[in-house]
Amino acid sequence: MLKKSFGAALLFFFAVTGTVFSQQYLSLEDCRNLAIENNKALKIATEQERVAYYEKKDAFTKYFPDISFNGAYLRNQKNLNLINSAAIPSSIDIPPIAIPPAINYPGGSVDISDVRNQILKAGELDIKNVWVGGFNLTQPIFMGGKIIAYNDLRSYAEDLAGTMKDTKTTEVIMEVDQTYWQVVSIANKKKLAEAYVNLLRKMDSDIAAMENEGVATKADKLSVNVKLNEAEMTLTKAENGLSLSKMLLSQICGLEISDQIILKDENIESLPTNENEAIPNIDEALANRTEVRSLELATKIYGKKEKIAQAEFMPNIAFMANYIWTNPNGFDGFQNKFGGMWNVGVIVKVPLNFFSSTAKLNVAKAETRIKQYELAEAKEKIKLQVNQEAYKLAEANKKLIATTKNTEKADENLRYANVGFEEGVISAADALAAHTAWMSAHSEMVDAQIDLMLCKIYLNKALGRKL
């Protein structure tokens, strides 16, 4: 029995210890840092920024000469023969009269196959194994401004990748803030629900005693029981909602959804809503918004594409130098060994495909105009968004002031209702109404505080300020 008790106690200790160690105490800044560190989209944006950086490096190399080595080996079936075998007779007829008398030759045909073979062999070039190799250097001199435009384009593309990463970072921070304050809101509503349940439980106990004394009816007792059941259901929903919201926040922060997290602002009595309000400034928004910066860079990129398209009309001039080896080589007779030579020159390419080049240029100009229109439209939408968020913030301030006054009145009303109910001068229905009004007023004040907090965040985002 002692062993079982000890084992159960040890198991309970490890379970509690594991729960404690798995809990994490997080502030809003901690959640932001975790989300930025673990967000997959931000990691992709970082890699895209790295790609743009190396593409810019590659574009810069176009200013320098292109050096390459080329080599080839060729196996031929036959050799070359410079002498036609049909032109060499296989035999020669010599008439007897041509033979001196001292030579005893009857005349007729002479076989010259050995001579013929030697002549054919002398005219044969051995090309069965051919080796060719060489270094090539090409240095651009004038490419119609294409290289300069391409380098500028890649520089803008690198800036654009960084700006898009900043935009994504802002979106991640916004998502974290929304979820964080949602958790804080539900946590505060859970505390309200717990306080409401405790009030109704006390009232249920009081009215049970009053029913026994005959100063309260069974209907009063049942109505309190119904409200208590509703409050307990509300508390259960708040607990479930808090758990699910924390799971969502854990997922956004890159944590395991089973991790137990506690937020720094979860148990504060009042939310920090007395910060300096963001003052709307359209010029500030247009200067700071990453979306505007991205479209400006995109417009510049397409402007450089126009320059590249215009370069299609320009001649291209490049310096060229080569050193070539061949085996066999013919630099000193025909020899089956490596021999080489160098050469230098200038390459000039004058494009004549004006119809195709004109079409490409018109496409580039149209794309540039599209980005200009998108930039103008984005600026108009940002102006509207800033004004909308400013109005929402002003409305949230008014709502918070009103709900704060309602909460003070509801607290006072509940205090009088509790005292009156205990003294028997207020009915159970009136007391329940006071409890319900108290719960509703405090819940609305929590919503107003969270709404004000989020409205400030939204306005700062609309103004392009750092969140």
Side-chain angles (χ1 to χ4, degrees):
M1 183 67 181
L2 183 61
K3 290 182 178 179
K4 291 183 178 179
S5 300
F6 177 77
L10 190 62
L11 182 63
F12 175 76
F13 171 78
F14 281 120
V16 172
T17 304
T19 303
V20 170
F21 281 120
S22 65
Q23 288 182 345
Q24 298 192 50
Y25 187 75
L26 301 174
S27 65
L28 177 59
E29 194 64 28
D30 294 333
C31 292
R32 287 179 174 183
N33 292 335
L34 285 170
I36 291 173
E37 180 182 352
N38 297 315
N39 187 268
K40 300 295 187 299
L42 278 179
K43 290 182 179 180
I44 293 173
T46 301
E47 294 303 321
Q48 290 174 337
E49 192 176 21
R50 186 174 287 110
V51 168
Y53 170 79
Y54 285 111
E55 285 181 342
K56 178 184 175 183
K57 291 287 187 184
D58 177 67
F60 186 70
T61 63
K62 304 302 179 184
Y63 286 113
F64 300 102
D66 178 35
I67 302 175
S68 63
F69 173 79
N70 300 308
Y73 167 74
L74 186 65
R75 173 67 179 179
N76 295 308
Q77 179 187 6
K78 298 178 180 180
N79 290 329
L80 288 178
N81 229 313
L82 301 179
I83 300 174
N84 188 348
S85 60
I88 303 174
S90 58
S91 62
I92 301 175
D93 292 330
I94 301 176
I97 192 173
I99 304 297
I103 299 175
N104 184 17
Y105 181 70
S109 177
V110 178
D111 185 5
I112 59 168
S113 59
D114 292 339
V115 177
R116 182 175 184 273
N117 290 337
Q118 290 178 10
I119 294 173
L120 289 175
K121 189 174 182 180
E124 182 180 13
L125 302 180
D126 183 5
I127 61 163
K128 286 188 176 181
N129 297 292
V130 178
W131 303 82
V132 180
F135 286 99
N136 172 264
L137 181 146
T138 304
Q139 171 64 56
I141 298 175
F142 177 75
M143 306 301 288
K146 186 187 302 183
I147 295 179
I148 297 174
Y150 186 66
N151 273 268
D152 291 341
L153 184 151
R154 285 304 172 193
S155 179
Y156 293 143
E158 183 185 17
D159 293 340
L160 179 60
T163 304
M164 292 180 70
K165 181 183 175 182
D166 293 339
T167 302
K168 192 62 187 178
T169 302
T170 302
E171 292 175 357
V172 171
I173 291 175
M174 283 289 299
E175 185 179 14
V176 171
D177 287 10
Q178 289 173 346
T179 309
Y180 182 92
W181 292 115
Q182 180 185 12
V183 172
V184 173
S185 174
I186 298 175
N188 278 274
K189 289 185 177 181
K190 175 178 170 289
K191 289 191 292 184
L192 283 176
E194 289 172 345
Y196 187 44
V197 167
N198 291 333
L199 286 173
L200 289 177
R201 283 175 179 170
K202 183 179 183 303
M203 187 176 180
D204 183 62
S205 176
D206 292 342
I207 204 166
M210 294 171 68
E211 182 186 10
N212 292 334
E213 294 176 1
V215 294
T217 64
K218 185 70 173 178
D220 293 334
K221 180 72 167 60
L222 290 174
S223 62
V224 173
N225 287 337
V226 170
K227 284 292 183 180
L228 178 58
N229 289 335
E230 291 177 354
E232 289 175 343
M233 286 297 297
T234 301
L235 176 59
T236 301
K237 290 180 180 179
E239 291 172 344
N240 293 337
L242 182 60
S243 298
L244 292 173
S245 297
K246 285 187 175 181
M247 288 181 184
L248 177 60
L249 182 60
S250 296
Q251 188 269 329
I252 294 173
C253 294
L255 304 173
E256 295 293 333
I257 60 174
S258 58
D259 290 349
Q260 300 295 319
I261 61 174
I262 299 175
L263 304 185
K264 178 181 178 181
D265 298 311
E266 192 173 328
N267 297 314
I268 60 175
E269 295 298 327
S270 60
L271 295 176
T273 55
N274 295 324
E275 300 175 359
N276 293 329
E277 295 183 7
I279 302 175
N281 188 324
I282 302 299
D283 294 334
E284 179 186 3
L286 296 179
N288 294 339
R289 287 289 290 267
T290 55
E291 295 91 336
V292 173
R293 177 65 176 159
S294 295
L295 286 172
E296 287 175 345
L297 288 170
T299 304
K300 291 180 180 179
I301 287 173
Y302 280 99
K304 293 302 175 181
K305 285 187 176 182
E306 279 189 47
K307 296 292 185 182
I308 294 174
Q310 289 174 353
E312 295 293 331
F313 295 92
M314 304 289 183
N316 296 335
I317 304 173
F319 169 79
M320 180 189 69
N322 299 281
Y323 195 90
I324 304 170
W325 292 278
T326 62
N327 182 2
N329 74 86
F331 300 122
D332 186 15
F334 187 82
Q335 304 178 66
N336 285 100
K337 64 181 182 179
F338 282 98
M341 69 172 182
W342 57 265
N343 59 64
V344 295
V346 176
I347 303 173
V348 179
K349 177 184 175 183
V350 180
L352 299 176
N353 51 341
F354 297 113
F355 292 106
S356 175
S357 299
T358 302
K360 291 179 181 179
L361 179 59
N362 289 333
V363 168
K365 288 181 176 179
E367 289 176 337
T368 304
R369 288 194 295 269
I370 289 172
K371 291 302 173 184
Q372 290 172 344
Y373 295 145
E374 289 178 354
L375 176 60
E377 184 182 21
K379 289 181 177 180
E380 293 174 359
K381 289 183 177 180
I382 287 173
K383 292 177 182 178
L384 178 61
Q385 184 185 25
V386 170
N387 288 319
Q388 287 177 337
E389 297 301 337
Y391 285 130
K392 288 181 181 178
L393 179 60
E395 185 179 348
N397 271 315
K398 293 177 182 179
K399 182 179 178 181
L400 180 59
I401 293 172
T403 54
T404 302
K405 292 180 180 178
N406 289 340
T407 301
E408 293 172 355
K409 293 177 182 178
D411 289 341
E412 187 70 12
N413 185 40
L414 179 62
R415 188 175 67 82
Y416 281 114
N418 285 334
V419 172
F421 177 73
E422 291 173 357
E423 294 179 355
V425 295
I426 292 180
S427 65
D430 291 337
L432 287 174
H435 283 76
T436 303
W438 176 87
M439 177 68 177
S440 177
H442 278 270
S443 180
E444 288 179 356
M445 188 177 74
V446 170
D447 288 338
Q449 288 177 324
I450 297 296
D451 189 38
L452 180 61
M453 181 68 67
L454 292 177
C455 282
K456 287 182 178 181
I457 294 172
Y458 296 148
L459 181 56
N460 281 328
K461 179 181 180 295
L463 292 171
R465 294 177 178 175
K466 186 177 180 180
L467 299 178

